[in-house]
Amino acid sequence: MSEKRTEISDLGEFGLIDRLNKKVIIKNPSSLKGIGDDAAVIDSGDHVKVVSTDLLMEGVHFDLSYAPLPHLGFKAVAVNVSDIAAMNAIPKQITVSIALSNRFSLEAVEALYEGIYAACDHYGVDLIGGDTTASRTGLAISITAIGEAKKEQISYRSGAKENDILCVTGDLGAALVGLQILEREKQVFLANPDMKPDLEKYTIVTGRQLRPDARMDIVHELGELGVVPTSMMDISDGLASEIFHICKASGVGATIYEDKLPIDKQTFDTAVELNLDPITCVLNGGEDYELLFTIDQKDFKKLEKHPDIHFIGHITKEAEGKYLVTKSGTAVQIKAQGWKHF
Ligand code: ADP
Ligand code: MG
């Protein structure tokens, strides 16, 4: 009898996680939220703790031929802090685990940690532990971040309701475009090692890819303004994919407007140069680590003038579906592409 074999690629990352989650039965009342959000939420008396883990693998998430080690260390922390930010919580501690091949010297590990320490300073978090092991397949970095919030301040993916306003921070698509430039210059260099990479024109997009910054500034400002987003997540896989997650978790639909989508001029120009559609980059580009959130209409006045928060659309009934209204006024269904690792 032949054993049944199902390819992970048939399920996809989210299908796999759903399947694993089905068999999980929560035993402890303090586990307020388990699998399925940007971070888990744990009851901790007068407040809650939030916990998130990410694993970065050489060859999948980063390429050491163009990712400087200090930037990589910073990014590994930032992507975890971003998941804590996405819960509207404040990060406090991290643990760092690394698997090293014999290619790495002490100097290389110290360069990586230079970025980790810089991120700890930048976000006000303490490095409190981790694990170190050998690797036969390249560098792996796994970071766990722990944050805190008052219970009523937590923003889950599931709280969006009809008529809420959809907001995004910063601008989108830069990290994807930056990656394309880095890949292009790598190929040029491989073909002719005497050629100097031409990256000066592209510092915003390559910077976003190599050293993204989690939007803790926004979380602090929302706190100061007394706004708790009705739902929130960070944009790691692409805006379209994240809208799907919020809609699914909240049981709602959404309409967004092309002319409201934020894109930096350098991202736009570079996308055009690369023969990519800038709006596709905004919708499906991953790794910008901006925040996508919904607010109740009553909070709009408080955020209306914020220079770095953009109001891209609104939440509708689930049956109304998920639509992008183009500049010409046509409504097209949003497709969630996102990043596919499998
Ligand atoms: P994010 O992109 O915000 O980091 P992910 O898409 O990686 O979130 O994960 C979604 C949810 O699935 C999170 O709650 C995460 O903790 C959980 N998850 C991911 N991989 C696993 C796994 N192998 N086992 C259990 N839970 C997982
Ligand atoms: Mg996330």
Side-chain angles (χ1 to χ4, degrees), residues 38 83 157 234 236:
D38 292 286
D83 277 325
R157 293 178 181 181
D234 67 334
S236 53

Side-chain angles (χ1 to χ4, degrees), residues 24-34 40-44:
V24 175
I25 299 161
I26 297 288
K27 293 175 277 302
N28 296 296
S30 55
S31 305
L32 296 180
K33 176 79 201 180
V41 181
I42 302 168
D43 201 346
S44 199

Side-chain angles (χ1 to χ4, degrees), residues 128-147:
I128 56 160
D131 196 17
T132 307
T133 178
S135 159
R136 315 232 172 281
T137 53
L139 176 65
I141 310 166
S142 174
I143 296 192
T144 297
I146 303 162

Side-chain angles (χ1 to χ4, degrees), residues 55 61 73 79 100 127-128 209 240 243 254 257 268 271 301 309 319 326:
L55 172 62
H61 298 100
V79 302
L100 298 167
L127 172 56
I128 56 160
Q209 169 58 223
I243 286 177
Y257 296 87
F268 188 96
K301 277 254 164 300
I309 295 178
T326 64

Side-chain angles (χ1 to χ4, degrees), residues 37-39 52 54 79 82-84 86 157 233-236 242 289:
D37 217 301
D38 292 286
S52 170
D54 268 294
V79 302
S82 180
D83 277 325
I84 301 297
R157 293 178 181 181
M233 64 184 298
D234 67 334
I235 305 178
S236 53
E242 318 304 18
Y289 298 101

Side-chain angles (χ1 to χ4, degrees), residues 241-287:
S241 167
E242 318 304 18
I243 286 177
F244 267 69
H245 281 304
I246 288 206
C247 287
K248 188 175 173 206
S250 300
V252 295
T255 298
I256 61 171
Y257 296 87
E258 182 182 354
D259 61 353
K260 306 278 185 212
L261 298 178
I263 182 165
D264 185 84
K265 184 169 187 311
Q266 189 177 97
T267 306
F268 188 96
D269 292 346
T270 312
V272 170
E273 182 192 326
L274 292 165
N275 283 321
L276 298 170
D277 171 31
I279 291 302
T280 306
C281 295
V282 168
L283 289 171
N284 297 324
E287 295 197 291

